[in-house]
Amino acid sequence: MTPRVVVLAGGVGGSRFTLGVRAALAARGEEEAGAAASLTVVVNTGDDLWLSGVRLQPDVDSILYALAGENDTVRGWGRAGDTERVNHELQAWGAGWPWFTLGDLDLGTHLARTGWLRDGLTPTQVIERLSARWPLGARLLPMTDAEVDTHVVLAGGERMHFQEWWTRHRAALAPERFENPGIGDAAPAPGVVEAIAEADVVLIAPSNPVVSIGPILAVPGIRDALRATAAPVVGVSPIIGGAVVRGMADVCLTAIGVRTAADAVAAHYGARSHGGVLDAWLVAEEDAELSASVDALGVRAHVRPLWMTDAAASRALAEAALSAAAV
Ligand code: GDP
Ligand code: CA
């Protein structure tokens, strides 16, 4: 039987891992049997923003483009072969953010999205439309239809949008905390709770625990759904050898008082047996000595290679996560 897999994901780590899961499911010969119906990706929308009149959903688009094979693998974000004519024109007008590049093809996505939102479609419906363009082999769901963009509150009390802090300031300003205004009143997007409840396995991608997975878990109802599902919940450490392998997630972890270590992130998510969300946690070979402290949390540690260096490595990692769940 086709296992029903739900992945919780952010952008870069999330999309690499999601490609691996899709490949692992296809390799099981389940492509024809309906892999599309069996893989649901619940995507962080805490990165979203309004800019130059259009709605951006960076993590959704990273996963959409990666699954479509349309992503820029060299740059690591946006569309392959994109150009920046409109961006230059916006800069000449002094519009938008000069440090935040909007590619021409990417802007096509944002215009389509914004037009459909204006027509009254929900973000869930918009993502369904965007997804229909390519055979993705997965269903993408936003974590919520509410706008809960992440804000960073600095030590001095100054507040800015997460994208300004991350992209303009390269996470160099000491954050005091991260907030998603309105998230306490947000609801999971339609289908999210149902997908988790009906899953055979739930995988937490090696994404930023604070600003990618954190907002997903903060949507009221999602954490409860993870705690209630009969499916095993397996997470993959985004920390290898005590370091974030790409990006600046360590600054985010420090701000919330979590060490940049595989066992500390597992403790942050917590064991389902102790009020948390994890049953098992994939730890890098480099961190093998931490597996005892993960086990001590009540989370089964599985030591595996965690580098997603290419498609084969991502697929092997996804296979390892699925076998840790014994599906
Ligand atoms: P973002 O939304 O674009 O920031 O991307 P994510 O939140 O999905 O993923 C960012 C995180 O992915 C980083 O903090 C890294 O710790 C993690 N990551 C990136 N590449 C790898 C990899 O090859 N292996 C593992 N285990 N984690 C990775
Ligand atoms: Ca993100």
Side-chain angles (χ1 to χ4, degrees), residues 97 99-100 152 154 158-175 248 251:
W97 283 338
W99 35 266
F100 200 95
V152 184
L154 303 179
E158 192 190 339
R159 171 188 289 269
M160 64 180 67
H161 194 286
F162 170 73
Q163 295 293 351
E164 180 172 5
W165 178 76
W166 186 260
T167 308
R168 181 184 190 184
H169 298 290
R170 311 298 302 162
L173 306 176
M248 303 161 288
V251 183

Side-chain angles (χ1 to χ4, degrees), residues 10-11 44 47 59 162 211-212:
N44 172 43
D47 284 9
D59 287 0
F162 170 73
V211 293
S212 290

